[in-house]
Amino acid sequence: MNERYLRMMGKLAALGQERALRFWPELDENSRRRLLDQLDHLDEEFLAAQRQRKWPLVAAGAGNLDGFTPQPYIPLPASREEEERWDRARRDGEKLLAQGAVAVLVVAGGQGTRLGYPGAKGKYPVGPVTGRSLFQYHIEKMVALERKFGRPLPLYVMTSPANHQETIGFFKENNWFGKDPRTIICFPQRMLPVFDNCGQLLLETRASLSLSPDGHGGVLYALRKHQLLEDMRRRGIRHLFYFQVDNVLVRIADPAYLGFHDQMAAEMSARTVRKRDPWEKLGHIGRLDGACKVIEYTELPEEKKTARNEEGGLLFGQGSIAIHLFSLDFLERLARQKIELPYHIARKKVASVEDQRAAAADGGLNAVKFEQFIFDAFSFANRILVLETDRRFEFSPIKNREGEDSPATARRDLSEMFAGWLEACGISPRRHADGTLAVPIEISPLYAMSADELQAKLPPGLDTEREILLEEHAGA
């Protein structure tokens, strides 16, 4: 143990981080071993890069955005000609699914802490009638696509160390929700050290570091580390569909989206929705100095948020909803060129040992966290597609415990989408006088994925005065 300690002290001293072992004399044998294990897993290159920064850090922000202009996008179809264009894209996307050329990646490293839920966020029960979990909804959509196109649709699940085993256990307990377990690959994202305001490693306790996930952009690092790009290539994958687990409405591997992406030979694509108002908390995709960039809602100046175009709509009226497509060639190029996405910093209040506590820090914020954002990959893409979608059918995230983007709005939006399918089939669920639904409605993706599919399977004498549940289990 002493030799191991001396080796680690030498490494840390070279990085200016020897204070991480300042409580060593007070620790017992097991505590010492755990601390050294944590230190062994740290990325020395990352630590060395942080030493080159000028501390205390100041958030860089987006810089001068005077030249930031909206990225051109393909809008929802508004004419017969445009409908035909979307139909062609849809057919092309269906060919890709039938060829087995598509895989899916879901970012699912988060916990349900903000929702008051004690577990992995993907386990959150959101079904309006049954309490189906987010994971179950998403995997049943994929199983339905596999049945329709006759090819496996591999699913890559990025977890975090906090919920990796929990997620795998949940899948096993539920028989992988009917999906072949050989087509579900779970992998944890990287954890980065948290720093104090002087650039020193923050200790959560005297025997443990404070660590934080590296953000959704860390997926690129994780794909390389776990050799998953090679796994995709072996499976014949050419396109990777990316989304975040908390968006219950996402249309996984939507054929029209795939078709447009492939037609344009895009390296990276994004789906957007028309913003509710100038202040909706969505990123803005645009161009700056010849490159595509996504500017967060907190960084776009007020005058640009409210600016109008010639038609009177918001100039930056399209918001990014974190649904992307990547060509595998693009991801392999980033890996081959060892391209690293930039790190964004966030100052937080974090539990720590006495001499690094928030009470002694400026503004009570004692911690600096680093994370990467997936949308920064746009800056490295040569060909980009931005495709509008209808939020009613594809965007209802669960971010907050109450209010907008909460479990209540997700269940409402699910029920409304299913009600629309029923109404298209000539069945009218009961509504209140103000038009809102009076009953919850739930339709399993295995039962139907659209109004057209539902039409052929509707049971006779459906009672629309009470909750409606139409489902088919994976083994059926």
Side-chain angles (χ1 to χ4, degrees):
M1 180 67 73
N2 190 54
E3 288 183 8
R4 190 179 175 196
Y5 163 77
L6 292 174
R7 285 197 302 271
M8 180 56 68
M9 181 58 83
K11 283 184 182 180
L12 292 176
L15 295 165
Q17 295 290 349
E18 61 269 29
R19 290 193 73 247
L21 289 172
R22 63 190 179 277
F23 298 111
W24 184 264
E26 306 170 24
L27 305 181
D28 61 31
E29 196 79 358
N30 287 334
S31 297
R32 288 177 172 181
R33 184 175 293 107
R34 285 196 300 270
L35 180 56
L36 288 177
D37 286 345
Q38 277 192 315
L39 290 165
D40 273 335
H41 282 93
L42 295 183
D43 186 330
E44 289 185 39
E45 288 186 13
F46 175 79
L47 285 176
Q50 306 326 309
R51 194 181 187 191
Q52 303 306 312
R53 294 176 181 265
K54 184 178 180 181
W55 294 81
L57 297 182
V58 178
N64 187 336
L65 295 176
D66 289 346
F68 185 60
T69 57
Q71 173 75 23
Y73 69 96
I74 297 176
L76 289 168
S79 67
R80 183 170 181 176
E81 182 180 356
E82 291 172 354
E83 288 279 7
E84 290 173 351
R85 183 187 183 193
W86 278 69
D87 284 341
R88 288 194 297 273
R90 190 172 294 107
R91 290 192 294 272
D92 287 348
E94 289 175 346
K95 290 177 184 176
L96 292 171
L97 289 167
Q99 292 166 4
V102 181
V104 174
L105 188 150
V106 59
V107 176
Q111 298 292 99
T113 310
R114 283 173 59 187
L115 305 174
Y117 180 74
K121 200 171 186 181
K123 293 170 56 178
Y124 192 86
V126 70
V129 178
T130 67
R132 245 180 190 80
S133 67
L134 287 163
F135 275 137
Q136 183 171 355
Y137 261 118
H138 296 320
I139 292 177
E140 285 185 349
K141 294 174 199 174
M142 297 184 65
V143 173
L145 288 171
E146 290 175 331
R147 288 179 179 179
K148 182 175 181 178
F149 294 103
R151 296 297 296 269
L153 190 57
L155 172 61
Y156 297 84
V157 183
M158 188 169 82
T159 63
S160 66
N163 68 21
H164 183 70
Q165 292 303 326
E166 178 189 4
T167 298
I168 294 173
F170 185 63
F171 290 159
K172 288 181 178 177
E173 290 165 14
N174 290 279
N175 196 28
W176 306 86
F177 298 107
K179 187 165 169 58
D180 184 344
R182 293 172 297 182
T183 65
I184 299 181
I185 303 93
C186 297
F187 61 101
Q189 69 185 119
R190 173 178 52 164
M191 300 294 284
L192 293 177
V194 178
F195 298 83
D196 67 16
N197 291 320
C198 296
Q200 291 294 304
L201 290 169
L202 191 76
L203 295 181
E204 184 176 9
T205 69
R206 296 186 173 206
S208 64
L209 300 172
S210 180
L211 301 171
S212 179
D214 60 357
H216 46 72
V219 69
L220 299 184
Y221 175 91
L223 288 174
R224 294 196 301 269
K225 178 183 177 182
H226 298 287
Q227 299 183 320
L228 296 176
L229 300 179
E230 293 86 344
D231 182 75
M232 292 177 198
R233 184 62 70 183
R234 284 193 297 271
R235 294 174 187 260
I237 303 304
R238 301 204 306 273
H239 303 291
L240 180 65
F241 180 93
Y242 165 106
F243 73 102
Q244 295 178 357
V245 74
D246 60 11
N247 180 7
V248 69
L249 288 188
V250 61
R251 286 187 290 193
I252 293 176
D254 174 50
Y257 187 23
L258 285 167
F260 277 118
H261 175 83
D262 192 57
Q263 287 173 1
M264 296 182 66
E267 292 187 319
M268 181 174 176
S269 298
R271 294 216 87 160
T272 58
V273 295
R274 191 171 301 278
K275 292 173 62 179
R276 288 191 290 249
D277 56 60
W279 300 277
E280 185 173 6
K281 297 178 179 181
L282 297 175
H284 306 86
I285 304 177
R287 300 201 69 81
L288 184 67
D289 300 327
C292 181
K293 295 183 72 69
V294 176
I295 302 298
E296 293 190 273
Y297 63 92
T298 54
E299 297 182 324
L300 194 69
E302 194 77 1
E303 61 270 18
K304 283 193 176 287
K305 284 180 183 174
T306 57
R308 300 280 169 174
N309 55 30
E310 294 178 356
E311 290 77 34
L314 289 173
L315 181 64
F316 290 93
Q318 293 289 311
S320 177
I321 56 174
I323 299 176
H324 299 297
L325 275 169
F326 299 91
S327 75
L328 186 57
D329 287 344
F330 175 57
L331 295 175
E332 289 174 333
R333 174 165 68 80
L334 295 182
R336 190 168 57 251
Q337 296 176 355
K338 297 182 179 179
I339 288 175
E340 279 283 342
L341 299 183
Y343 287 97
H344 298 255
I345 67 168
R347 298 188 65 212
K348 301 285 185 178
K349 180 179 179 179
V350 172
S352 68
V353 293
E354 298 88 337
D355 59 357
Q356 292 179 309
R357 280 186 179 160
D362 181 33
L365 303 176
N366 64 321
V368 177
K369 294 185 176 183
F370 289 85
E371 58 183 345
Q372 295 174 312
F373 298 153
I374 190 62
F375 53 67
D376 283 328
F378 274 116
S379 298
F380 302 99
N382 296 320
R383 293 175 302 281
I384 291 159
L385 163 72
V386 178
L387 187 70
E388 185 182 16
T389 189
D390 188 328
R391 74 165 67 227
R392 296 174 301 167
F393 310 129
E394 191 149 15
F395 185 55
S396 188
I398 300 176
K399 302 290 186 185
N400 309 309
R401 189 178 298 196
E402 298 175 335
E404 287 295 339
D405 300 334
S406 67
T409 58
R411 294 186 184 108
R412 176 202 67 195
D413 294 343
L414 273 170
S415 286
E416 281 290 354
M417 182 177 73
F418 298 141
W421 295 359
L422 288 167
E423 287 161 351
C425 297
I427 294 175
S428 300
R430 183 162 62 89
R431 292 184 177 273
H432 296 298
D434 64 359
T436 58
L437 278 172
V439 295
I441 305 172
E442 184 172 345
I443 300 174
S444 161
L446 298 176
Y447 192 90
M449 291 271 281
S450 66
D452 288 342
E453 290 184 10
L454 182 61
Q455 181 76 64
K457 301 179 73 172
L458 271 174
L462 189 65
D463 185 356
T464 59
E465 292 298 308
R466 53 187 298 177
E467 67 181 29
I468 297 172
L469 173 63
L470 298 173
E471 64 178 340
E472 176 184 315
H473 296 289

